[in-house]
Amino acid sequence: MNLQVLLNPECYYSCLCHTLTTEEEEVVGLLLGSSIENENYNIVTIKLNKPLKRTDKKKDRTEVNPQQLSNCLDYAENLTKKTNKEYRIVGWYHSHPKHINVFPSEMDLKTQMQYQQMDPNFVGLIFSTFNQESTNNQGNIRVTCFQAGTSKDGYSKYEDFAHKKIPLYINPQLQTPLQPVSFEPISNLSGVIFDEQRTSYLQFLNNSKISNSNKIHTSDLIYYSGIYQKKLAMLIETLNYPILQNLQDRLEYTKELVEKKKIELRKLKNQNKSEY
Ligand SMILES: [Zn+2]
């Protein structure tokens, strides 16, 4: 069955902000939306993302734990009730930070295949970030949408599974500027990242306590608090401030749109009056 994926630009921006928060390790999240099955092809629409807190930070591997998956199912169910529109988990995304290409690893394909066994339309997105063109040193970002195939499907890159590229379209018509629900992921993102930093900080302090007869060394406290403060300041500068600016721009755009619609409405009302 042929598959096509439509991505809401708001969701693309939100995923991108998440994947740009660190160039050292992978980040991960789930994708919510809906799907339609046609006779010749299926269409998956990705409406929003759910950034997930990492329990483990690795450069080349990231995973979604069962509790996070279950919480996200509840979140999707609540959204469906709240908006009266279909929201379910249709995919996952993760980043390939510095020096890793955009292609799924063997582990990514194994994970993807497990999801596909539950839902054949389930897709994976990979954002390859912090790359530089060798010719002009300009930064670039690559995005791919994939599924896992098997040798039976005519794909045989790896021993067990293979990479099946799925057409991905960023569709501006899916953008809904006046719906607060589309702002939720981007506004929750800093909460997730700050929570991760706080957990790391407390873990470092706890390790220091264990290795120093249940006491935190003053030098360790100063050192780790310094690192924690530096990371928080960096997040405010590189994540919160650009997001705030973007939301302010969107607010201005929405205000202009409302004014234009008011003028159109007045014109239509006047037209109606003159016709009667
Ligand atoms: Zn990967």
Side-chain angles (χ1 to χ4, degrees):
M1 180 59 71
N2 288 324
L3 195 60
Q4 278 186 4
V5 175
L6 306 179
L7 176 63
N8 184 329
E10 198 86 65
C11 177
Y12 172 70
Y13 174 72
S14 176
C15 290
L16 210 52
C17 284
H18 188 195
T19 55
L20 288 170
T21 53
T22 167
E23 58 181 300
E24 302 304 327
E25 312 102 8
E26 293 192 357
V27 299
V28 66
L30 290 164
L31 299 164
L32 276 73
S34 56
S35 57
I36 301 170
E37 299 203 349
N38 292 313
E39 204 176 317
N40 298 320
Y41 57 92
N42 296 342
I43 298 176
V44 172
T45 302
I46 300 172
K47 298 174 186 171
L48 52 88
N49 64 315
K50 179 90 178 138
L52 298 177
K53 181 182 170 182
R54 290 168 298 170
T55 44
D56 200 4
K57 292 179 182 173
K58 286 181 184 158
K59 187 175 164 56
D60 58 353
R61 198 157 69 94
T62 188
E63 50 196 34
V64 180
N65 69 44
Q67 187 58 48
Q68 289 175 320
L69 199 60
S70 156
N71 291 347
C72 196
L73 283 170
D74 292 343
Y75 178 68
E77 206 179 296
N78 284 336
L79 268 184
T80 304
K81 278 185 199 156
K82 206 158 86 179
T83 59
N84 228 1
K85 286 185 180 140
E86 189 192 0
Y87 280 94
R88 55 185 192 80
I89 303 174
V90 291
W92 66 303
Y93 70 95
H94 71 285
S95 65
H96 278 183
K98 221 172 178 179
H99 307 311
I100 305 181
N101 64 33
V102 77
F103 302 110
S105 66
E106 196 164 359
M107 183 57 79
D108 293 340
L109 291 170
K110 278 183 185 164
T111 308
Q112 172 63 27
M113 190 47 106
Q114 283 168 3
Y115 287 128
Q116 267 172 242
Q117 278 161 357
M118 291 184 278
D119 174 5
N121 291 331
F122 204 90
V123 291
L125 296 189
I126 295 175
F127 291 77
S128 170
T129 49
F130 302 101
N131 295 309
Q132 247 181 2
E133 294 284 355
S134 54
T135 47
N136 55 12
N137 283 345
Q138 275 189 352
N140 70 44
I141 291 164
R142 292 203 167 93
V143 183
T144 194
C145 181
F146 74 101
Q147 278 204 318
T150 63
S151 51
K152 274 186 261 164
D153 307 315
Y155 301 94
S156 57
K157 190 179 172 189
Y158 296 116
E159 200 181 325
D160 297 320
F161 305 117
H163 169 202
K164 210 167 138 185
K165 209 172 165 187
I166 307 294
L168 173 73
Y169 303 98
I170 298 171
N171 187 348
Q173 286 176 346
L174 294 170
Q175 197 156 338
T176 51
L178 299 171
Q179 286 191 5
V181 76
S182 56
F183 292 129
E184 263 184 38
I186 197 86
S187 48
N188 288 341
L189 179 58
S190 43
V192 172
I193 306 293
F194 275 84
D195 201 14
E196 279 181 359
Q197 295 298 349
R198 187 175 160 73
T199 306
S200 298
Y201 169 62
L202 293 176
Q203 260 167 8
F204 280 126
L205 287 190
N206 200 36
N207 290 346
S208 158
K209 206 171 159 182
I210 292 166
S211 55
N212 288 301
S213 334
N214 225 18
K215 274 186 196 161
I216 300 172
H217 239 277
T218 313
S219 58
D220 278 355
L221 183 65
I222 294 170
Y223 178 69
Y224 293 122
S225 301
I227 292 177
Y228 181 46
Q229 280 176 13
K230 191 182 163 196
K231 294 214 167 180
L232 294 191
M234 253 175 69
L235 279 175
I236 291 168
E237 192 188 339
T238 58
L239 184 71
N240 289 33
Y241 188 63
I243 288 176
L244 184 66
Q245 274 199 321
N246 177 276
L247 289 178
Q248 278 170 341
D249 289 347
R250 296 292 306 278
L251 182 65
E252 285 308 309
Y253 167 74
T254 307
K255 279 180 182 169
E256 279 173 27
L257 204 68
V258 170
E259 284 310 310
K260 274 183 193 165
K261 294 284 171 198
K262 276 182 183 171
I263 293 169
E264 276 176 34
L265 187 68
R266 271 201 296 273
K267 274 184 189 167
L268 283 172
K269 276 182 178 170
N270 287 340
Q271 230 174 8
N272 265 358
K273 270 184 202 165
S274 59
E275 277 175 14
Y276 284 104

